[in-house]
Each structure stands twice: as C-alpha cells, then as structure tokens.
Amino acid sequence: MISSDVNDQLRRAGLRVTAPRRSGLEWLGEHPHATVKRVRFGVAQALGSVSTQTVYDVLAACTAAGQVRRIEPAGHPARFECRAGDNHHHVVCRCCGRPEDVDCAVNVRPCLTPSDGHGYLLDEAEVVFWGTCQAFGSDADGPQ
Ligand SMILES: [Zn+2]
Ligand SMILES: [Zn+2]
C-alpha cells in the first residue's frame, strides 16, 4: 500500500491525516493481526519513535472510524488488522495465540442461526475457531 492510498483512506473516513496514523495504517496493512506492541515497533521504524499512548490513540481512532478491526481472542492480547467490515472470521492457536483469517462460509450476517434469538434483531455472530497451529501441533506430517 502506498502513502497516497492511506491518506485518501484516512480522509474518506473523516480522520485528519497525521504521521502516526499514516504509518500505523501502512504498517498494519502489511502486518495483519498485530498487537499494540508490534504496531508501535512498526510505527517507530518509520517515525523514529512513538509513544505507546499515541499508538493506542491511532488504533482507537481508526477502529472507531471502521478502518481497522480489533480482535481480542480470550486470554490473548488484542490484535488489529486493516481488513475491517467484511465479516471474516479467525482461527486462533491456543498455544501461541496466532490468528489467521477465515472467509465467512455463508457470507450473510449473522452466519449462524441461534436456536432462540429472543426476539433480538441479530446482525453478527462472533466466530472464533480454536485449535493448535502447525508449530505447536503434534502432527508433524500434517499438510503444510
Ligand atoms: Zn501456535
Ligand atoms: Zn483477520
């Protein structure tokens, strides 16, 4: 992703273009599912240094504007990605917490039908598939 795209993306979302926002989105575009710590590392590479608070602010603003999605697998730190608003799901490793994207197999929200919706107008099912990644799995001969 090149800088002008990120500038446009920020403006379209109604966000002022700042160096940390630009660097944050650029870096996150190439490193999906990054933790705050990792995003700070990425932004600092571009800007020299950046405070953790600034990175939190960038991610909060971009998440609120729908440009970034925050996922928070239970027991693991929150992670962020630029792939927002498309109802994709995640597989998460129980051991190392690494998430991978999984396209929704149904493509209509919510992609699961509850046995009883209690009259709620349902718009989303939060789906996380838990398992063990190749690095931690015992099946060394499994598919790559
Ligand atoms: Zn793992
Ligand atoms: Zn994802």
Side-chain angles (χ1 to χ4, degrees), residues 33 81 88 90 101:
H33 309 133
E81 63 184 334
H88 75 277
H90 295 97
D101 285 340

Side-chain angles (χ1 to χ4, degrees), residues 3 26 29 56 63 75 79 81 92 97 100 118 126 130 141 143:
S3 299
E26 270 179 350
Y56 271 111
T63 302
R79 292 171 181 260
E81 63 184 334
V92 180
E100 296 286 352
H118 294 276
E126 197 174 296
W130 289 96
D141 297 317

Side-chain angles (χ1 to χ4, degrees), residues 7-85:
N7 289 348
D8 287 348
Q9 188 188 348
L10 285 166
R11 286 198 200 93
R12 275 200 310 272
L15 294 171
R16 200 160 50 85
V17 176
T18 65
R21 283 176 183 171
R22 220 178 49 206
S23 308
L25 279 186
E26 270 179 350
W27 192 83
L28 205 52
E30 288 159 15
H31 304 82
H33 309 133
T35 59
V36 171
K37 204 173 151 187
R38 293 290 298 161
V39 176
R40 184 187 175 189
F41 168 81
V43 173
Q45 276 187 323
L47 301 183
S49 76
V50 66
S51 71
T52 300
Q53 188 57 51
T54 298
V55 173
Y56 271 111
D57 292 347
V58 164
L59 292 170
C62 291
T63 302
Q67 302 307 299
V68 166
R69 176 169 166 187
R70 174 196 174 100
I71 61 167
E72 211 165 352
H76 296 282
R79 292 171 181 260
F80 297 84
E81 63 184 334
C82 289
R83 192 178 165 186

